[in-house]
Amino acid sequence: MQGSTRRMGVMTDVHRRFLQLLMTHGVLEEWDVQRLQKHCYKVHDRTATVEKLEDFINNINSVLESLYIEIKKGVTEDDGRPIYALVNLATTSISKMASDFAENELDLFRKALELIIDSETGFASSTNILNLVDQLKGKKMRKKEAEHVLQKFVQNKWLIEKEGEFTLHGRAILEMEQYIRETYPDAVKVCTICHSLLIQGQSCETCGIRMHLPCVAKYFQSHSEPRCPHCNDYWPHEIPEVFDPEKEREASISKSNKRSLRSRQH
Amino acid sequence: MSEQSKDVCDLNFAAEASNSEVHSSPGVSGGPSLPASQAAIFPGPESPPVGPTDAPLASPAPQAPSEEGDPKALQQAAEEGRAHQAPSAAQPGPAPPAPAQLVQKAHELMWYVLVKDQKRMIIWFPDMVKDVIGSYKKWCRSILRRTSLILARVFGLHLRLTSLHTMEFSLVKALEPEELDRVALSNRMPMTGLLLMILSLIYVKGRGARESAVWNVLRILGLRPWKKHSTFGDVRKLITEEFVQQNYLKYQRVPHVEPPEYEFFWGSRASREITKMQIMEFLARVFKKDPQAWPSRYREALEEARALREANPTAHCPRNSVSED
């Protein structure tokens, strides 16, 4: 039953529990996913060796394929953290959100989404979004209410807010990339390196090509003189650091130690 | 495998004033209590999932059926089975859809159910019909059945009709033990902790908890009604509106008190999903005491656990380790 075959995957209780928990959490960072995987092995199959995460997930995905769902791996656009979510590939609309939000709220999201995609920076200002409340379908929404709804989006990890401006959360990009590419084929921006949807990133001022921040970090990692891969002009922006999961883990351990001293509820 | 069909069959037979033999019926194909017509409706137990379909992924858009039709869908599904024996002239009906389309509907329903459960929303049968099944209402039983099968096989979850009266379904874990999951990633599920905090306060008091008492307790966590919290956001809205909407809490005015005061009670969903033993263990963890430090409550919890075990010897008991104590 433990087949770690690369062909048609075999579902065991380890995989099932993993799927259940991944679904419960919506989106998880890689570190949590690894912990989750280990937990599932511990619960159902202590003696087995924990399969490499990539293979483990590919195994599950081969079973999910016929259901048109997939465990998708993405990377947050601002700091390059790997994230995972269970995604429905068959959707042609914002169906995951549809059950959560009212018609006018969904429309607000669509308007914000359009502004974000059309913008140069990948951010849409709160003011610009709120100015569109009169155009929303469904029940009339006031600006105050719309502010509240935007916060709901942030809490549910569909949007990120930075200094009064909104952009898409990594989770939204993961889940809606297909929808976005189909709905806005002309406005959509794409990263030259990884060819995925690009919302935030850096662009070459000469030829206009764009790259995700983590893609920039990786591409220019050991270059002393970064140059545009397309037109060879100097790359004018600051090169970010490549995401290092080890450093990240240490930082979060000390953070959670402090947190657990305060709130002992778990 | 009969586990899953039992759940879906419950849907049919319960509506027909079920007889107890349903629970021991071996399965869809070949069950002697099943009229032959029903077996014809079901596509067969192990029909392999249709491979790469050339049918376009965009399924025929579900027409919104008439609103008053929905609550009757269950009845209708049951009637069909019963009436099918008699030559029914009154049902010209469209031609049955291709199996591929039924399969796709089952997949859509599976996702729908998973997302509703993820959001801790009630899975309501009329919603399922309105939002997903749509014009395939006549085949909803086979769609439901296939969905249940997939959920069980791939996710290890049972889609169970928890209340025929309110037509609510829920996803029940079929894997044991269940409790460990919460511990494993507990620092990522703060809502549960917050909710448990309030529920256990109510439980320990043995009656409703006044809002002021709840805030006294939440103050220990650094939560205040006027302060927005980094994780919870607007805490007051969360506990007085969202948890109430999700039926985890009830928020009611205290009668005959001026100025007006409010109190919290357990909601129907909390009573269903959370056991007294879970509360006792939560309290034990928080206060670093043995659960038996609250002897009368602990006794109640033990009795409830025993009753649950007797009622549901299989997967439904959420606190499996009680039996190992």
Side-chain angles (χ1 to χ4, degrees), chain A residues 184-226:
Chain A
Y184 307 99
D186 304 317
V188 143
K189 302 174 185 74
V190 162
C191 173
T192 311
I193 304 293
C194 68
H195 307 293
S196 298
L197 178 66
L198 183 142
I199 302 286
Q200 289 180 64
Q202 293 177 351
S203 61
C204 173
E205 283 167 13
T206 316
C207 67
I209 60 133
R210 296 170 189 269
M211 305 205 297
H212 290 120
L213 293 164
C215 294
V216 166
K218 242 185 266 173
Y219 186 77
F220 290 132
Q221 198 168 8
S222 27
H223 287 50
S224 48
E225 265 186 31

Side-chain angles (χ1 to χ4, degrees), chain B residues 265-285:
Chain B
F265 294 88
W266 277 47
S268 58
R269 191 158 177 188
S271 311
R272 265 205 314 268
E273 292 185 7
I274 300 180
T275 65
K276 298 191 164 115
M277 199 46 92
Q278 278 171 291
I279 297 288
M280 296 313 296
E281 291 185 359
F282 175 76
L283 287 174
R285 248 186 306 170

Side-chain angles (χ1 to χ4, degrees), chain A residues 11 16-17 20 23 39, chain B residues 111 118 153-155 177 181:
Chain A
M11 287 297 284
R16 290 190 188 102
R17 183 171 290 266
Q20 281 176 20
M23 189 66 204
H39 163 75
Chain B
W111 186 251
Q118 183 195 70
R153 204 187 320 132
V154 177
F155 287 81
D181 288 344

Side-chain angles (χ1 to χ4, degrees), chain B residues 8-60:
Chain B
V8 179
C9 281
D10 279 344
L11 182 62
N12 308 332
F13 292 98
E16 290 181 48
S18 64
N19 37 4
S20 52
E21 40 180 273
V22 166
H23 293 281
S24 53
S25 92
V28 172
S29 59
S33 52
L34 250 167
S37 57
Q38 288 192 349
I41 294 177
F42 294 169
E46 284 303 315
S47 52
V50 180
T53 56
D54 40 41
L57 275 183
S59 63

Side-chain angles (χ1 to χ4, degrees), chain A residues 11-17 19-29 31-32 35-36 39-40 43-44 60 63-64 66-69 86-92 95-97 99-100 148 151-152 155-156 158 171 175 178 252 256 259 262-266, chain B residues 49-53 57-58 104 107-108 110-112 114-119 121 150 152-157 173-178 180-181 184-194 197 220-222 228-229 231-234 237 242 282 285-286 288:
Chain A
M11 287 297 284
T12 69
D13 281 351
V14 179
H15 303 103
R16 290 190 188 102
R17 183 171 290 266
L19 264 183
Q20 281 176 20
L21 291 171
L22 182 59
M23 189 66 204
T24 306
H25 286 88
V27 60
L28 282 176
E29 296 197 15
W31 167 230
D32 284 323
R35 259 199 331 167
L36 182 60
H39 163 75
C40 294
V43 170
H44 286 288
I60 298 180
V63 173
L64 298 182
S66 57
L67 306 174
Y68 301 110
I69 59 180
L86 190 59
V87 171
N88 187 341
L89 301 174
T91 52
T92 51
S95 63
K96 190 150 191 182
M97 296 179 75
S99 53
D100 277 352
H148 209 50
Q151 285 311 315
K152 234 195 336 179
Q155 264 161 35
N156 283 295
W158 298 108
R171 177 219 196 149
E175 304 214 14
Q178 197 177 338
S252 75
S256 71
R259 210 189 308 150
R262 243 189 320 125
S263 67
R264 295 296 222 138
Q265 56 179 327
H266 307 294
Chain B
V50 180
T53 56
L57 275 183
Q104 191 187 323
H107 295 165
E108 281 177 34
M110 169 203 73
W111 186 251
Y112 178 86
L114 283 170
V115 170
K116 283 271 185 195
D117 184 68
Q118 183 195 70
K119 301 298 175 197
M121 295 172 74
I150 300 174
R153 204 187 320 132
V154 177
F155 287 81
L157 293 167
K173 284 191 181 172
L175 308 175
E176 294 303 324
E178 200 183 281
L180 298 176
D181 288 344
L185 285 170
S186 55
N187 63 338
R188 297 291 168 167
M189 292 179 75
M191 300 295 174
T192 321
L194 177 63
M197 200 83 183
I220 303 172
L221 306 176
K228 240 174 57 151
H229 190 260
T231 311
F232 301 118
D234 183 340
K237 185 160 195 270
E242 287 184 41
F282 175 76
R285 248 186 306 170
V286 168
K288 305 227 169 303

Side-chain angles (χ1 to χ4, degrees), chain B residues 138-150:
Chain B
K138 257 185 95 170
W139 298 275
C140 77
R141 244 177 324 169
S142 72
I143 294 173
L144 254 176
R145 191 177 152 276
R146 185 181 292 272
T147 301
S148 309
L149 268 170
I150 300 174

